[in-house]
Structure formats: C-alpha cells, structure tokens
Amino acid sequence: MGRTEDLKAKGLDLGGLDGTFGFLLHAAWRDAARTFAEHFAETGITPLGYSILLLIARNPGCAPGDLCEIMGVTSNNMTRLIDDLSRRSLIERTVHAADRRARRLQLTAQGAATLEGLRARHAAYEADFNDRIGAERIDRLCEILRHFD
Amino acid sequence: MGRTEDLKAKGLDLGGLDGTFGFLLHAAWRDAARTFAEHFAETGITPLGYSILLLIARNPGCAPGDLCEIMGVTSNNMTRLIDDLSRRSLIERTVHAADRRARRLQLTAQGAATLEGLRARHAAYEADFNDRIGAERIDRLCEILRHFD
DNA sequence: TATTGTTATACTCTATAACTATA
DNA sequence: TATAGTTATAGAGTATAACAATA
C-alpha cells in the first residue's frame, strides 16, 4: 500500500492530509518522477525532455510553440529545454521557411536512435507502476486525470 | 474537459502522451499547484508550508523528522521550510527536553489564527476542484493516489 | 557509532519581464 | 501592432554531501 497507510499506523495524525487530493497528487507525482529518474539513469533525459522527443518524433517539423501548448510549458522555458536537446545533437532546430520567426524541430538520426532506447526504458517504467499499483487502477487514474487542465 | 481533449482537436499528434499516466500526473499536479497559488495569493503560504502548519496543529510538539517522513521531504529541506515559517512567527521551534538533539514544533497564537484563514482558503480551493472535476471523481482519485509512495 | 538537525551547494522546474526578429 | 522565439533573472522544490550536537 501507499505511504499514508504506513504512517497512520505510527500514531501520527495526518490531519486530513491523506484525504486532500493536492497532497496525494504531489506525492504521487514525486513518486513517478523519482521512478522515472531511476529508469532513465545516466541517459540525462528528464520527463520533459522525453515528452519533447516523443512529440517531435510524431510531429516532425513542429514548432516550439506547439510543444508549449501541449506540454503546458512557457516559451522561455521551452527554449532552454530545446537548447539542451539540441546541444546534445538529439534534435535539429531550423528556421521555418514560410515564417522566419518560427522554427522547425526534427529529430536527428542520433535522436531517433536514442529515442528507441528511451521508449524501452519508458515501457519498463510503466510496467513497474502497473505491477506496483495495478494496471486497471492506472487506467482509471488516467481517465480521471484527463479532466484536469 | 481537460487540456488533452482540446489539443487532439487541433490535429497535433500527442504520440500517446495522453495515455501516459506520468505526463497526466505532472499536468494535474501543476494545475493543482497553480490553483492553490491563486487561492493562497498574498498569504506567502505554499502547499508545503500549509501541510506543515496543518500537521503541527494536529501534532503539537512533533519533531521536524516526523514531518519529513509524512511529507516525503528530506531533513535539510525541511529545515529551510521550518526556518521560513519560524521567521514569520507562525511556528515556534524549541529544543526537546528529553532528547536535546530533537526539536519540538508548535504553532504560535498568531500561527493558529493564521491557520484558520488558510483553512478557509483551502476549503474554497477544494470546492473549486470539486466543481470543475466532480466531487465523486476527486474521491476516486484520492483512493487511487493512496497506492503511490 | 548512530541519530537529529543544520549548513552549503547545485540542479531542475516554473514564472515574469524585457528583448530581437520577423510578420 | 502582434507574434515567435530568446535572454535574463528569480524563486520554489529537490538532492547529495559535509558538519555539529547529542545520544
């Protein structure tokens, strides 16, 4: 079971925190981030970086602004995430011919190859949680989380 | 509905991200954090600070280490969170008589009074989400999230 | 030796604002 | 005047390591 179950057994009064969705959401996200970091150790890829690579793979030529909207990251921060992946030669950023303000993003050959390894790690990470939490619960979780902004 | 629903309508391929619980969990947590910040604007209280105040109120005399365990925060970081609340005269930190290594944490009178106002804000914040997401969904969400560590 | 808490430090994520270059 | 992206900067959260005081 989860952490809150263990703690109540120790006589500490959680003061309703274990019924507070924000507290639980934060804890669950940190669990996911920590587990992601374990599975992606020594790749230097963070959850945000992985999302970007995945999105560029599916939408070659997309613009940073597209990723901002999907990922909920502001453009200034997206620039730095893209800088990092670009500096590591995983993606290529070129000026858009039609609108020279915009940029076109694409995976490099190295980026595409790297992504395959990352997909395998991600599958293992998800299998990890399916084992721990239950695949059916994870599905119901996703269904509910899609109602958030 | 949620953000992912809107985005799919724009022709962007999310590449399975909207079925990835980690991506959805991150987005939902940011939604919760952003909404919390709106409701707690100008109080200077963050989600972590609110949790600490709540826990000290329910467990007067508890030690920083107790809070670390409940909240999943390491002790070095807890020190700084407590420093902040202490500097603002909301809590009092005294040396534990029986074990002089430990500290005893208590709300000050000002802290207790402040907490009442914060509880009202938190109730409004939760009502906000119950309206947006549905109280029954939030309940089911909590039930699932308690399985995480 | 082990434990409680503190200090120092660094990195990631997030946010606001000011800026460049295009349109 | 508006938009796409960049640069600068700051604050919050998280993490590791080294340390002090006490047990």
Side-chain angles (χ1 to χ4, degrees):
Chain A
M1 297 294 288
R3 189 161 40 87
T4 56
E5 303 295 325
D6 298 335
L7 287 164
K8 280 197 291 191
K10 300 180 63 172
L12 290 160
D13 185 343
L14 301 190
L17 239 37
D18 58 330
T20 300
F21 89 95
F23 179 80
L24 296 170
L25 204 47
H26 191 190
W29 162 243
R30 282 182 300 191
D31 185 2
R34 189 187 328 121
T35 305
F36 185 101
E38 287 165 9
H39 281 276
F40 284 72
E42 298 171 24
T43 64
I45 299 294
T46 65
L48 291 171
Y50 181 65
S51 292
I52 290 173
L53 292 175
L54 219 49
L55 288 167
I56 295 177
R58 294 291 187 124
N59 304 277
C62 67
D66 299 332
L67 304 181
C68 287
E69 197 171 359
I70 294 174
M71 295 177 55
V73 169
T74 53
S75 62
N76 54 340
N77 296 321
M78 183 57 72
T79 295
R80 302 190 60 168
L81 294 169
I82 288 173
D83 280 348
D84 178 55
L85 296 171
S86 186
R87 189 160 17 79
R88 294 161 64 186
S89 304
L90 298 176
I91 65 175
E92 206 178 26
R93 174 172 38 185
T94 55
V95 174
H96 195 291
D99 181 347
R100 295 180 47 76
R101 292 174 304 183
R103 305 285 181 265
R104 290 174 58 84
L105 302 172
Q106 276 177 315
L107 294 187
T108 61
Q110 186 188 335
T114 299
L115 182 54
E116 291 318 301
L118 299 178
R119 279 189 211 273
R121 288 176 186 264
H122 189 256
Y125 151 87
E126 291 218 307
D128 193 339
F129 273 104
N130 281 334
D131 287 351
R132 281 173 49 195
I133 312 294
E136 183 262 350
R137 269 196 202 94
I138 296 286
D139 284 347
R140 281 192 288 129
L141 176 61
C142 287
E143 199 184 326
I144 296 171
L145 292 177
R146 274 190 280 271
H147 289 81
F148 284 79
D149 280 327
Chain B
M1 296 297 287
R3 190 160 42 85
T4 55
E5 303 294 326
D6 298 336
L7 288 164
K8 280 198 290 193
K10 300 181 63 173
L12 289 160
D13 184 343
L14 300 192
L17 238 36
D18 57 331
T20 301
F21 89 94
F23 179 79
L24 295 170
L25 204 48
H26 191 189
W29 163 244
R30 283 183 299 192
D31 186 2
R34 188 187 326 122
T35 305
F36 185 100
E38 288 166 7
H39 281 276
F40 285 72
E42 298 170 24
T43 64
I45 299 295
T46 65
L48 290 171
Y50 181 64
S51 292
I52 291 173
L53 292 175
L54 220 48
L55 288 168
I56 296 178
R58 294 290 187 124
N59 305 278
C62 67
D66 300 331
L67 303 181
C68 287
E69 197 171 1
I70 295 175
M71 293 176 56
V73 169
T74 54
S75 62
N76 53 339
N77 296 321
M78 182 58 72
T79 295
R80 303 190 61 168
L81 294 169
I82 288 174
D83 279 348
D84 178 56
L85 296 171
S86 186
R87 189 161 17 79
R88 293 160 66 185
S89 304
L90 298 176
I91 66 176
E92 208 178 25
R93 175 173 37 184
T94 56
V95 173
H96 195 292
D99 182 347
R100 295 180 49 75
R101 292 174 304 183
R103 305 286 182 263
R104 290 174 57 83
L105 302 172
Q106 277 177 313
L107 294 187
T108 61
Q110 186 189 333
T114 300
L115 182 54
E116 291 318 302
L118 299 177
R119 280 190 210 273
R121 287 176 188 265
H122 189 257
Y125 151 87
E126 292 218 306
D128 192 338
F129 274 103
N130 282 334
D131 287 350
R132 280 173 50 196
I133 312 292
E136 184 263 348
R137 270 197 201 94
I138 296 287
D139 284 346
R140 281 192 287 130
L141 175 62
C142 286
E143 199 184 328
I144 296 171
L145 293 178
R146 274 189 282 269
H147 292 269
F148 284 79
D149 280 329

